[in-house]
Amino acid sequence: MKKLIAFTLLTLIASFAHASNFHGYGIHYIHGEGDVRGIKLAYEYHPPDLIPDDWHGFNMYFKSSINFWHFGDSGDYDHNLVLSMSPVFRYPVESIRNKPVHIELGIGVVLLEDTQFAGKNVSTHYQFEDRLGLVYELGKANVALRYIHYSNAGFKSPNPGLDFLSLSYSSRF
């Protein structure tokens, strides 16, 4: 697991070295059921011309992240390390103060360090990450509120899932 984390971090750093408007980062505060809290650090890749122009504002990008989850009181807590990768789809639905508001959808893959977390047995290290969010665009930056659900899609029981709300700031560079 440590080698996988080191490889992921080195890949992110190498990507930043070739920065353009296609690359970005995100910082997310996540809060889940049962007082699970965490931080998600994300790398975003926004490739040009992936979606045809006649799709009227619909776009797609890729997000990979490392998550640090924490559950319980100081001195007696549980933690989990999570790696995720996901294609994300956005569509503009409104404008506030001449800035677009997007609805965001995505389904990606996740690797959990521990299958026993926050009093739940999620059965598998491999999970799916489903997201639904509202994103307010501020030029190269944006703020977002997302609902995120983790589950193994019923491949193995038990499959209680984990649910989070995320408040995030993202920016391209």
Side-chain angles (χ1 to χ4, degrees):
M1 179 61 111
K2 290 179 183 178
K3 289 180 183 179
L4 181 60
I5 293 167
F7 174 76
T8 302
L9 290 174
L10 288 173
T11 302
L12 290 175
I13 291 167
S15 297
F16 293 151
H18 297 92
S20 70
N21 196 35
F22 307 134
H23 302 275
Y25 67 90
I27 301 169
H28 307 247
Y29 169 74
I30 55 177
H31 190 89
E33 58 189 290
D35 204 28
V36 175
R37 297 171 305 280
I39 297 291
K40 176 185 249 191
L41 304 174
Y43 163 72
E44 298 177 356
Y45 178 59
H46 298 262
D49 304 326
L50 241 155
I51 304 293
D53 289 338
D54 60 351
W55 284 32
H56 307 291
F58 188 80
N59 70 33
M60 177 183 170
Y61 71 97
F62 299 95
K63 181 177 272 191
S64 54
S65 67
I66 184 167
N67 300 258
F68 303 95
W69 295 350
H70 175 86
F71 173 75
D73 295 328
S74 177
D76 182 28
Y77 66 91
D78 193 7
H79 66 276
N80 211 340
L81 179 68
V82 182
L83 300 175
S84 70
M85 293 176 26
S86 179
V88 181
F89 303 91
R90 280 189 183 163
Y91 187 77
V93 293
E94 187 60 58
S95 182
I96 299 175
R97 296 185 183 195
N98 295 321
K99 305 279 187 195
V101 176
H102 301 265
I103 190 165
E104 183 177 88
L105 307 164
I107 298 176
V109 293
V110 174
L111 176 63
L112 299 175
E113 178 182 35
D114 192 355
T115 61
Q116 303 284 327
F117 180 70
K120 291 186 176 186
N121 175 7
V122 296
S123 299
T124 61
H125 290 281
Y126 300 99
Q127 301 277 312
F128 293 95
E129 176 188 78
D130 306 324
R131 75 176 65 223
L132 175 63
L134 286 174
V135 181
Y136 184 51
E137 196 172 308
L138 306 165
K140 283 187 173 186
N142 63 62
V143 292
L145 179 63
R146 296 177 179 93
Y147 164 74
I148 303 172
H149 174 75
Y150 295 90
S151 151
N152 69 28
F155 287 118
K156 187 174 179 185
S157 291
N159 182 30
L162 295 164
D163 296 301
F164 293 90
L165 286 178
S166 165
L167 181 60
S168 68
Y169 172 85
S170 300
S171 183
R172 292 191 199 188
F173 40 84

